[in-house]
Amino acid sequence: MRKSVHGQWSSRWAFVLAATGSAVGLGNIWKFPYITGEYGGGAFVLVYLLCVIGIGVPIMMSEILLGRRGRQSPVNAMYTLALEAGRSPWWQIIGWLGVVAGFLILSYYSVIAGWALAYVFRTGSGMFGGATADGVQNIFAALVADPERLIAWHTLFMAMTVVVVARGVSGLEGAVRYLMPGLFILLLLMVGYAMNTGEFGRGLSFMFRPDFHALFHQVDAAGNEYFTWEGVLAAMGQAFFTLSLGMGAIMAYGSYLPAHASIARTTLTIAGADTLVAILAGMAIFPLVFANGLQPAAGAGLIFQTLPLAFGHMPGGDFFGAAFFILLVFAAWTSAISIIEPAVAWLVENRGLKRTQAALACGALAWALGLLTVFSFNIWKDFTPLSGLELFRDSTLFDLLDFLTSNIMLPVGGLLIALFAGWMMRREASRDELDLGEGAAYRGWRILVRYLTPAAVLIVLLNLLGILKV
Ligand code: PHE
């Protein structure tokens, strides 16, 4: 089997760590709680979990298998695999879509990770000692109102990302091996704290008792409720985003995977760890929301407006708070690296750039795009270019970028990946690569990627057209 020019993981376990590092990030701790809050809780969580199992797992297996068989950046891997299977080279569009999605995602990801960086210092310096809900909200509002500060933190985070990407993938095994368990333990501690807020039960029932009415209804400008699939689309988009699927990140990492690692077991480990972290984050945050009279639908600032309340009141809160945000920054860091890897790997393969140059070039572009997000929270916060459509009535540029990437580009990419793995590749090729034999597991995967997964993604995406009412 070919080996990738970019190197190879030292073992299956190293790949599991790196891919988990990619999956676990802001998506789990920042985004999952805030969109769960926006779409009303339990029913959203249920649909999200179904999407992880029925769409995420089969697509992750497909991405890893395509990456490992293609052994190159997603653009070139898809080209090679398409030719190998006797199909149109146009399938490399999967790789290109991913490259574009990567720039867009990293642009805002870095800005939000910058908030987490800022919070390391805010919590560490005791700023939240004895804080009230109002005080915490004001501190957050003051941060995002200041474009210069946001740009400074965004720049720092992007620089951190470029440095690691420049050095290549193998540098990050250690970070994930030690820091991920640390993050997990701190989350458990936070859940333990949440248990004593007095509203733990209410937090749990918000997250786990499905309220389908809340998922399927929104209120329009005139205050009238209307039926919408928006929440289902968001739940599916979140499944893609949190598992790093649909844009080649996992495919790129898969291309560095040793030949004899089990793809199925690997996938289950990664998806399981990722889901667990998200659920724990929700369990830590929602009880705090209710105990402090906050709104679950507060939006993108939710964790920054809730967790500091806990840190401000628990013994040793400054320390734990700073530690928590440091670990969150690390989680975001290991994700950011994977978001840009498809573009960097392509530049190295096709343009002959050194990794350092490629990383710098990609980082610079994503940084510049990130300014759109920075300004969405201050000077352009009332700039809602698509407000003519009900769905985007209050959407800032950041909201639109997030919607375009998570809810459209990643699902479309995932759909094409499933179709390619299920219909375009020769059966023997996917069977050998998955190495599951001819048993039920292989047949189950194949039925999913051929029929059920594409159908599910397509149905949800097509409903987008219905959502786009003016
Ligand atoms: N999965 C990452 C997170 O949850 C984000 C990500 C998206 C990473 C797409 C890679 C590709 O934070």
Side-chain angles (χ1 to χ4, degrees):
M1 181 182 289
R2 279 185 298 260
K3 243 188 164 183
S4 161
V5 297
H6 309 283
Q8 186 169 318
W9 306 109
S10 57
S11 63
R12 176 182 92 95
W13 199 228
F15 169 78
V16 171
L17 286 171
T20 308
S22 166
V24 175
L26 296 173
N28 309 60
I29 291 172
W30 159 74
K31 194 169 179 195
F32 172 75
Y34 104 72
I35 54 175
T36 298
E38 281 181 348
Y39 292 106
F44 178 88
V45 174
L46 185 69
V47 175
Y48 155 78
L49 290 175
L50 289 176
C51 290
V52 167
I53 297 166
I55 298 176
V57 166
I59 292 185
M60 186 179 286
M61 290 174 64
S62 311
E63 270 204 42
I64 301 176
L65 101 83
L66 295 178
R68 185 166 70 181
R69 201 170 178 85
R71 286 281 180 225
Q72 295 155 79
S73 67
V75 172
N76 292 325
M78 288 313 305
Y79 181 78
T80 310
L81 292 174
L83 294 190
E84 179 188 291
R87 308 292 177 174
S88 158
W90 273 97
W91 283 98
Q92 68 173 311
I93 190 82
I94 293 176
W96 286 116
L97 250 177
V99 168
V100 175
F103 280 110
L104 299 178
I105 294 175
L106 184 59
S107 79
Y108 66 81
Y109 204 84
S110 168
V111 175
I112 312 290
W115 299 356
L117 268 173
Y119 268 65
V120 171
F121 298 92
R122 281 171 177 58
T123 42
S125 65
M127 202 166 183
F128 296 109
T132 61
D134 275 350
V136 168
Q137 279 174 338
N138 291 340
I139 289 173
F140 178 74
L143 172 68
V144 297
D146 182 347
E148 286 168 14
R149 269 196 273 173
L150 294 190
I151 291 174
W153 292 116
H154 165 52
T155 309
L156 177 59
F157 184 82
M158 193 64 82
M160 290 163 54
T161 303
V162 165
V163 167
V164 177
V165 174
R167 305 174 66 181
V169 289
S170 46
L172 72 245
E173 290 185 35
V176 188
R177 191 184 308 257
Y178 298 106
L179 298 169
M180 282 291 155
L183 181 66
F184 186 73
I185 289 169
L186 270 186
L187 271 177
L188 286 179
L189 182 93
M190 302 295 298
V191 175
Y193 180 86
M195 283 178 179
N196 295 316
T197 55
E199 293 288 5
F200 194 61
R202 191 151 159 228
L204 287 195
S205 79
F206 179 76
M207 269 184 77
F208 296 115
R209 184 169 310 153
D211 173 352
F212 286 98
H213 188 87
L215 178 65
F216 282 110
H217 292 85
Q218 295 283 327
V219 178
D220 67 16
N224 299 320
E225 221 178 47
Y226 62 95
F227 178 87
T228 175
W229 277 75
E230 187 189 332
V232 175
L233 179 64
M236 182 176 81
Q238 172 63 6
F240 277 98
F241 185 85
T242 189
L243 294 171
S244 308
L245 295 179
M247 47 96 36
I250 294 291
M251 197 187 294
Y253 277 13
S255 73
Y256 317 135
L257 182 66
H260 293 293
S262 153
I263 291 180
R265 259 195 307 149
T266 306
T267 297
L268 292 178
T269 313
I270 301 165
D274 185 77
T275 307
L276 187 62
V277 172
I279 298 288
L280 286 178
M283 288 170 60
I285 286 162
F286 288 113
L288 286 172
V289 168
F290 295 117
N292 292 286
L294 299 166
Q295 287 304 323
L302 187 66
I303 69 160
F304 300 95
Q305 295 165 337
T306 49
L307 294 180
L309 282 168
F311 298 128
H313 294 274
M314 65 168 73
D318 300 351
F319 171 77
F320 288 122
F324 176 85
F325 283 109
I326 288 175
L327 293 172
L328 180 58
V329 168
F330 271 101
W333 202 3
T334 54
S335 301
I337 294 162
S338 72
I339 298 174
I340 205 64
E341 179 65 21
V344 170
W346 181 81
L347 281 175
V348 171
E349 285 166 10
N350 292 45
R351 289 280 167 269
L353 297 195
K354 298 217 167 47
R355 271 196 82 91
T356 317
Q357 298 166 319
L360 266 174
C362 293
L365 178 56
W367 179 88
L369 286 170
L371 299 179
L372 300 177
T373 294
V374 165
F375 298 143
S376 295
F377 291 92
N378 35 68
I379 52 183
W380 293 346
K381 78 172 183 293
D382 299 318
F383 178 47
T384 50
L386 298 185
S387 57
L389 296 168
E390 180 56 44
L391 174 62
F392 300 123
R393 193 177 74 222
D394 305 314
S395 300
T396 59
L397 287 176
F398 157 71
D399 295 320
L400 293 174
L401 270 177
D402 176 35
F403 187 92
L404 174 68
T405 49
S406 302
N407 296 356
I408 299 178
M409 297 184 81
L410 300 186
V412 168
L415 174 67
L416 294 175
I417 287 167
L419 292 177
F420 187 88
W423 295 94
M424 297 293 124
M425 261 184 128
R426 281 178 300 113
R427 193 173 194 284
E428 309 79 63
S430 64
R431 193 196 52 211
D432 292 351
E433 204 63 49
L434 286 178
D435 207 12
L436 290 169
E438 274 290 346
Y442 176 70
R443 275 181 284 131
W445 169 80
R446 205 165 139 88
I447 291 174
L448 281 172
V449 289
R450 282 169 77 94
Y451 304 102
L452 298 180
T453 306
V457 176
L458 212 56
I459 289 171
V460 180
L461 279 177
L462 288 178
N463 271 291
L464 176 67
L465 303 176
I467 298 175
L468 285 179
K469 70 168 188 150
V470 181

